[in-house]
Amino acid sequence: MAPFFFLFLLTLFSPSSSSSLNDINSLTYIIHVDHEAKPSIFPTHRHWYTSSLSSLTSTPQIIHTYDTVFHGFSAKLTAQEATLLSNHPHVISVIPEQVRHLHTTRSPEFLGLRSTDKAGLLEESDFGSDLVIGVIDTGIWPERPSFDDRGLALVPATWKGQCVASQDFPATACNRKLVGARFFCGGYEATNGKMNETTEFRSPRDSDGHGTHTASISAGRYVFPASILGYARGVASGMAPKARLAAYKVCWNAGCYDSDILAAFDTAVADGVDVVSLSVGGVVVPYYLDAIAIGAFGAIDRGIFVSASAGNGGPGGLTVTNVAPWMTTVGAGTIDRDFPADVKLGNGKTVPGVSVYGGPDLEPGRMYPLVYGGSLLGGDGYSSSLCIEGSLDPSLVKGKIVLCDRGINSRATKGEIVRKNGGAGMIIANGVFDGEGLVADCHVLPATSVGASGGDEIRRYISESSRSSKQPTATIVFKGTRLGIRPAPVVASFSARGPNPESPEILKPDVIAPGLNILAAWPDKIGPSGVPSDNRRTEFNILSGTSMACPHVSGLAALLKAAHPDWSPAAIRSALMTTAYTVDNRGEPMLDESTGNTSSVMDYGSGHVHPTKAMDPGLVYDITSYDYINFLCNSNYTGTNIVTITRRKADCDGARRAGHVGNLNYPSFSVVFQQYGESKMSTHFIRTVTNVGDSDSVYEVKIRPPRGTTVTVAPEKLSFRRVGQKLSFVVRVKTTEVKLSPGATSVETGHIVWSDGKRNVTSPLVVTLQQPL
């Protein structure tokens, strides 16, 4: 009999005003139980779980039960009750839960996916028609044309999911396109009390917009005409236009709670999804404390591809999230479309900006008085510089264009505050940390965003005018939609960057995809700015974030899985990574939007996805669940940690004898050397590639070693006789010590390419030297 154990998941608790004292001292835990250990006297697992709690001082209510990605339940317990259970001999661990947050028409064409092509990924995969993408997000607005089921065949026979009906979400909301819709709020309500149903839907219906947007990016139907307030006119389409969608609503006004996210993973896998798309994240913790990593492992263990957003913490390093190697982590890039809205200053200078403001415009030809929030009298300076609620004096703002600094409150909220105080318009200026990265927003008043250098120029003009007793003036010139932007793609300033905080030997993010100013479906009853007072209604909206990049890859994974049903999640990721590109549409190395300088592998991983090439990668780096277990062993995780993640016991002695953490069969190579006075350092990687190209093919290696290193590959030639054949090779890396100050790091990059003359299978190679403190 398998061992009996519990896994507890602690929820960070924010009590509602109506909570009792006992509630305030209670937290939510998820208890993971070996399902085979259930005594026969209990008719169901739920009865058994309830019985296991009966010895506690209170009688906790079960929130969720889990039966697929792992087995157990969640309940609200006091710290004392949790301690009693954690002392049980079969308890594995007590895990603090995170409250997660959202990572928030032209992109298919930009990616080379054209519906008119007679051959290619869309045609080869029948537009993904037999695949189901599960979107774990804020729900969905099912009436949008993007989710119409016209012309679709019957729902795949493998689908076992449901459409959970409610007062505002009838069963008829689902169809042959939206095949399932569920919601999970038990963890959210256990922490925050009963939801306010005047502001949120107790159903799969989306009251935020984020879930509708991401769902339509991954698998929205072709919709024409599509636009937002006249911008981005054209045909809107998701990556896999015929793929089916299943919406799993886990995010609410107060955030996305791990116990609900795990319930969504558990249900989605049981329902029969083929791909999970998750544009949600939190801080990085070890994988055995990471509920998303645990749920994702349960999914990939059953052949389900999991795509997750990298986070919006860029451009700083070590900001990437969702870093478990079994998930595909997606950063964000730009596309070749822009929405210029320039600031014209009274001194004749023009500062470039972006906006999707739809009118009414400022009076043509008129220059408006210009003020900086941070220099207005009557405020504390800091709050007014950010245009925070209550910080602006209407008498100093009325009829003027107000310069606000980016940060703290949302960009759209700043505009609403300026508008309420009588402002005629607004300019949002990036701070130094944001650099030159610009996001176009759908503002409630004439407004635009400018980069850090532009903000400095405007502030300087205001200051100089004030010193000379002149009234500074400005206007905003909205220029609509501009196509064919060069350079593109560029790594978005906000896109989270490596290195991987948990496993530096695994390069993250894996790839980047379009994530800046993306047009996609939007709910009714929600204004495009997201500001409560915004009464405008649109069928589409433009949003930015790695939240938008993630579903691009989710949809592409569905297309690849439809075209190659025998490919594993790791093979699909490998195809996307080894065919990715790192040059822009000028043929130059991709730039970093925040600085304008050349970007690096820490910004984009293997590069920007190239769907057409990913369909025929030639070779793939495949990985099994047992390979991930060996990786965890070599990462010095304990047997208890590994069971928590994988539900399997591990032979770590064997795994450690066989290799080291860098030997996971990943499509990228990363090594970290600690300089402890050694003048020479070396390591090796063992990799195995599977031939998915031509039956008789020969691949020769090309090496571009990182600066200061010697790299050799043996053998230098791989000769395949059949499709499906696997061959292995060894990469040896040698480097010498460099002079670094204590705590400093040096990163050098290169690449290894296997080529058969037609295909290039490219892997980045990163060598990091660290000087210990």
Side-chain angles (χ1 to χ4, degrees), residues 62 229 234 251 376 453 522 562 564 585 649 661 680 718 725 750:
I62 289 177
L229 303 176
C251 294
L376 293 175
S453 59
W522 192 247
H564 301 283
N585 53 6
K649 286 186 174 180
V661 67
K680 295 183 179 180
L718 298 174
Q725 184 180 355

Side-chain angles (χ1 to χ4, degrees), residues 116-397:
T116 54
D117 289 349
K118 298 302 181 186
L121 185 53
L122 285 173
E123 188 70 23
E124 187 80 12
S125 63
D126 189 24
F127 300 79
S129 64
D130 288 333
L131 279 293
V132 180
I133 300 173
V135 181
I136 300 178
D137 212 294
T138 66
I140 196 163
W141 198 270
E143 292 81 9
R144 283 296 177 243
S146 297
F147 311 125
D148 193 287
D149 68 352
R150 64 192 182 282
L152 289 182
L154 294 176
V155 175
T158 54
W159 177 248
K160 301 178 178 64
Q162 295 179 11
C163 189
V164 176
S166 70
Q167 183 177 353
D168 53 62
F169 199 96
T172 54
C174 291
N175 54 25
R176 293 191 303 273
K177 177 66 174 178
L178 180 61
V179 296
R182 300 177 185 261
F183 67 99
F184 303 87
C185 59
Y188 162 60
E189 291 190 317
T191 296
N192 297 278
K194 190 173 175 64
M195 78 170 66
N196 180 354
E197 295 187 43
T198 64
T199 59
E200 298 192 84
F201 299 110
R202 185 182 290 278
S203 77
R205 188 170 291 279
D206 186 2
S207 60
D208 177 272
H210 192 273
T212 300
H213 202 268
T214 56
S216 69
I217 291 171
S218 65
R221 303 300 302 275
Y222 291 104
V223 180
F224 177 83
S227 68
I228 165 69
L229 303 176
Y231 290 84
R233 291 184 184 276
V235 178
S237 167
M239 296 295 98
K242 288 187 181 178
R244 318 308 173 104
L245 283 165
Y248 298 88
K249 181 177 177 179
V250 300
C251 294
W252 308 85
N253 286 349
C256 324
Y257 288 77
D258 273 356
S259 53
D260 295 333
I261 294 172
L262 282 165
F265 264 112
D266 198 63
T267 306
V269 172
D271 285 348
V273 303
D274 300 285
V275 173
V276 169
S277 187
L278 182 78
S279 293
V280 172
V283 298
V284 174
V285 294
Y287 306 129
Y288 60 90
L289 298 176
D290 186 343
I292 288 178
I294 294 168
F297 189 94
I300 67 97
D301 196 31
R302 290 161 175 79
I304 298 165
F305 183 92
V306 179
S307 175
S309 50
N312 297 337
L318 282 168
T319 51
V320 63
T321 67
N322 292 325
V323 296
W326 43 88
M327 294 191 285
T328 299
T329 311
V330 188
T334 68
I335 61 174
D336 62 343
R337 180 179 66 195
D338 202 359
F339 308 101
D342 298 342
V343 178
K344 184 178 178 183
L345 299 175
N347 61 6
K349 292 184 178 179
T350 297
V351 177
V354 297
S355 178
V356 287
Y357 174 68
D361 289 342
L362 296 170
E363 187 178 323
R366 177 183 169 187
M367 300 297 286
Y368 290 77
L370 173 66
V371 294
Y372 173 44
S375 61
L376 293 175
L377 299 176
D380 64 10
Y382 177 69
S383 296
S384 58
S385 72
L386 295 163
C387 298
I388 290 173
E389 182 72 56
S391 67
L392 299 179
D393 183 342
S395 66
L396 301 175
V397 168

